[in-house]
Amino acid sequence: MRFMVIVKATKSSEAGNLPSEERLTEMGKFNEELIKAGVMLAADGLQASSKGARVKFAGEKRTVIDGPFAETKELVAGFWLWKCASLQEAIEWVKRCPDPMPGEEGEIEIRQIFEAEELGLRFAEEKAKRLAMMHAAAQPELGDEVAAAEVGAPVEKR
């Protein structure tokens, strides 16, 4: 199962305050543990919402709203993509995570990602291969093998 692990924004992260060197080191060690365990697929921190925008949809109409956005507690400061055997495993990993927002009340949300078979999609082998190659091209750090495994495509060894 794959999970998106979402670090919620705080007033400090929305103000553009970067983590301390000590916090970055602690998070780096935690990320290394995730990688060694084969859990982490991707991770990144996000800029403050003042550097972003939203697009609202109402039928054919599109309205662009420039950041910053008022509801800090609803914003995302960063994320991981993890592969875990269960939600419980993802929870256990989050409980080991260094406090992402020291000095503030922080929150991390865990959401399971839909897999193709859960959406009722049926992929022919060739279509699955193409999808895996596109995914690998979009995320080269994952490599062809991980991307192919995510959609159940065979992996060609080079």
Side-chain angles (χ1 to χ4, degrees), residues 6-22:
I6 303 162
V7 179
K8 296 296 187 99
T10 62
K11 288 182 182 184
S12 179
S13 67
E14 274 299 288
N17 297 328
L18 297 175
S20 68
E21 198 64 41
E22 178 183 354

Side-chain angles (χ1 to χ4, degrees), residues 23-35 98:
R23 182 60 40 178
L24 288 173
T25 299
E26 289 174 354
M27 283 300 214
K29 287 178 183 175
F30 179 68
N31 287 338
E32 286 175 19
E33 288 180 47
L34 292 167
I35 292 167

Side-chain angles (χ1 to χ4, degrees), residues 5-8 27 80 94 97-98 100 106-110:
V5 180
I6 303 162
V7 179
K8 296 296 187 99
M27 283 300 214
W80 286 279
V94 169
C97 178
E107 184 177 353
I108 295 179
E109 181 177 334
I110 305 167

Side-chain angles (χ1 to χ4, degrees), residues 7 21 54 78 84-86 100-101 111 130 137 139-140 145-146 152:
V7 179
E21 198 64 41
R54 289 182 177 162
C84 297
S86 66
M101 303 293 179
R111 303 279 302 273
R130 277 194 305 261
Q139 296 185 27
E145 194 167 326
V146 172

Side-chain angles (χ1 to χ4, degrees), residues 1 15 29 37 60 62 69 86 102 118 125 129 134 158:
M1 298 176 187
K29 287 178 183 175
E60 296 298 316
R62 306 294 186 263
F69 308 117
S86 66
E118 293 175 300
E125 186 174 305
K129 275 178 150 176
M134 289 186 325
R158 293 184 184 131

